[in-house]
Amino acid sequence: MSIPDADTGLVLPDYDGGSIVNVAASILDAFGVASPSRPLRPELLPTDGLAGASGTVLLVLDALGSAQLEAALRTDRVPHLTGLIAAAPRGLQRITSIFPSTTTAALNSLATACPPSLHGVLGHMLWFEEIGTVLNMLTLCPIGASQPIHEDVVRRVPTIYQRLAAAHVPSTLITDAAYEGTPFTNLLAEGAHFAGYSGLSQIPYQLELALQAAQKPGFYSLYWPLIDTLSHYHGPDHTGTPSAACLAEMEFVDLMVGKVADLCRRCGCTLAVIADHGQVRLQPERAVELGPELRASLQRPPGGARRAPYLTGVDVARIQAEPGLADAVQLAIATDDAIDAGWFGGPCEGLTSRLGDTIVLAAEGVQFLYDYGRGVFAQSGSHSGMTNREMHVPLIVVPGN
């Protein structure tokens, strides 16, 4: 179950057995490998619930939060997903993302079975004390630079692929071929065989090749990013706020899911379908640029992301007193209080400098803009906050025979 905060209306990460961290832990558990986190709770997944005769397939659909999936299911345009849910013994379930609910942090949690407090990727933009600058965690480039740092500067814990390899369990990562060799992918994929695709139809093809070549049960991680991309540009498809672009994308994703599910049935693999986070619709006209006086008070450029910036040099009272922010802020909280409340899944030992002094959560429809040197642009959808639509993600598990 998710953990709502009664005072704020936030959905807190359910690290105690109900989050994407615990999905990764359950994958390790399926192969008898010790995990740094507990697996999913029994009401979500029975013991060995991800074990399959020929292995385990995890399909991660970036930003397909529960709300966007449920909106698609209310149409007649995703028959394969509808059938997959009908075949799942526990149907369509909800778990939570992590905080921040953003790709860089969430994919690291899925790749390591660790909360952000352990793997250290605590946001999309992060101050690194050891190099004295803010890094874009997707490119691993310092702001204002085009040359990335080496991923070993960021790596703190082993990946699940490394843990599986130590137990002689093979792993394959199937993702966009353009990601091969990038520092962020190297960070995520250490220990896995990389299989790149150039289009959606190649995902089941690459999976079939990997299964045909397999000599023993293994783990297969599949990733598709375009729902997230389209949601940023066009807004996510939610009941009441439709997005024709995202719903059209879902038709093609549904075909791919059908092919992957068929392969898993024929080969005896357990299939789990999840998202890393959801998306919330934004109103570009409500985008807020930090005012000049507030910017002058900052000791460094903000970390975090447009839905949850991390500010250094200003406290909660300063945010609350800032003209023009009264309707833009859902919550301003001291970073130490957020850590104590379990937002990051632990005490963040040796990492607190990356988070600054104050975390600001944007109100509904709002995004904060800051120019890191390449201009600013408003999005129609985004994530990283702790609203229901950002935090709740689906869990569909169909056992392999």
Side-chain angles (χ1 to χ4, degrees):
M1 66 180 206
S2 61
I3 307 174
D5 186 303
D7 295 328
T8 64
L10 305 177
V11 174
L12 302 182
D14 188 1
Y15 296 118
D16 191 27
S19 76
I20 60 173
V21 173
N22 311 106
V23 172
S26 291
I27 290 165
L28 293 174
D29 190 58
F31 291 97
V33 175
S35 171
S37 301
R38 63 169 291 181
L40 289 163
R41 290 189 296 270
E43 66 265 25
L44 291 167
L45 186 77
T47 302
D48 296 328
L50 289 184
S54 297
T56 303
V57 174
L58 176 69
L59 174 58
V60 180
L61 300 172
D62 197 324
L64 185 61
S66 295
Q68 189 153 203
L69 175 57
E70 289 162 10
L73 291 170
R74 293 187 183 99
T75 73
D76 59 357
R77 297 167 69 171
V78 288
H80 297 292
L81 277 161
T82 300
L84 192 69
I85 292 166
R90 302 198 179 186
L92 175 59
Q93 301 184 94
R94 285 186 181 188
I95 57 175
T96 74
S97 185
I98 49 91
F99 182 80
S101 55
T102 196
T103 300
T104 49
L107 290 187
N108 269 279
S109 283
L110 285 169
T112 63
C114 290
S117 62
L118 293 180
H119 63 60
V121 180
L122 300 160
H124 180 65
M125 306 291 287
L126 281 184
W127 172 264
F128 269 65
E129 193 74 36
E130 48 268 61
I131 56 177
T133 190
V134 171
L135 288 181
N136 179 316
M137 299 307 296
L138 190 59
T139 64
L140 296 194
C141 288
I143 56 173
S146 58
Q147 184 66 33
I149 66 168
H150 196 277
E151 61 271 11
D152 284 347
V153 176
V154 180
R155 183 178 288 114
R156 291 174 58 89
V157 293
T159 66
I160 61 173
Y161 310 113
Q162 290 174 294
R163 295 179 189 273
L164 290 168
H168 308 291
V169 177
S171 299
T172 300
L173 173 63
I174 299 174
T175 188
D176 193 319
Y179 300 158
E180 185 172 13
T182 63
F184 183 71
T185 297
N186 292 344
L187 179 67
L188 297 177
E190 186 72 22
H193 170 71
F194 185 96
Y197 58 71
S198 298
L200 188 61
S201 63
Q202 279 191 293
I203 293 178
Y205 173 72
Q206 288 284 21
L207 177 60
E208 186 169 23
L209 291 180
L211 288 169
Q212 288 172 349
Q215 298 181 351
K216 60 192 299 188
F219 171 53
Y220 307 88
S221 180
L222 287 50
Y223 173 72
W224 181 248
L226 217 56
I227 299 168
D228 186 58
T229 303
L230 291 170
S231 295
H232 283 306
Y233 283 111
H234 302 283
D237 182 61
H238 291 148
T239 300
T241 54
S243 171
C246 289
L247 187 54
E249 168 68 8
M250 285 300 299
E251 294 188 39
F252 291 90
V253 169
D254 186 67
L255 289 172
M256 179 269 289
V257 169
K259 297 289 187 183
V260 169
D262 183 61
L263 270 173
C264 290
R265 280 191 296 270
R266 289 191 282 112
C267 296
C269 288
T270 290
L271 171 61
V273 180
I274 66 167
D276 52 348
H277 55 75
Q279 279 251 15
V280 65
R281 183 171 286 271
L282 300 179
Q283 299 166 265
E285 67 275 12
R286 295 191 66 198
V288 176
E289 290 194 58
L290 300 183
E293 291 185 6
L294 183 58
R295 289 200 308 271
S297 299
L298 297 177
Q299 294 177 359
R300 62 181 68 132
R306 67 183 63 216
R307 291 277 299 157
Y310 306 158
L311 305 180
T312 302
V314 296
D315 59 15
V316 171
R318 177 71 174 79
I319 297 299
Q320 292 172 337
E322 178 69 12
L325 289 188
D327 295 328
V329 174
Q330 180 187 25
L331 177 70
I333 184 172
T335 299
D336 288 345
D337 291 341
I339 292 171
D340 291 344
W343 288 19
F344 298 96
C348 299
E349 293 179 1
L351 297 170
T352 54
S353 65
R354 299 183 184 182
L355 295 170
D357 301 317
T358 303
I359 299 172
V360 180
L361 299 184
E364 183 176 356
V366 173
Q367 58 194 299
F368 292 104
L369 304 180
Y370 184 88
D371 188 355
Y372 291 94
R374 297 185 178 181
V376 297
F377 60 94
Q379 295 180 339
S380 294
S382 198
H383 46 82
S384 72
M386 292 182 13
T387 65
N388 170 51
R389 288 181 169 178
E390 292 164 290
M391 288 296 295
H392 278 141
V393 298
L395 172 67
I396 307 166
V397 178
V398 179
N401 297 322

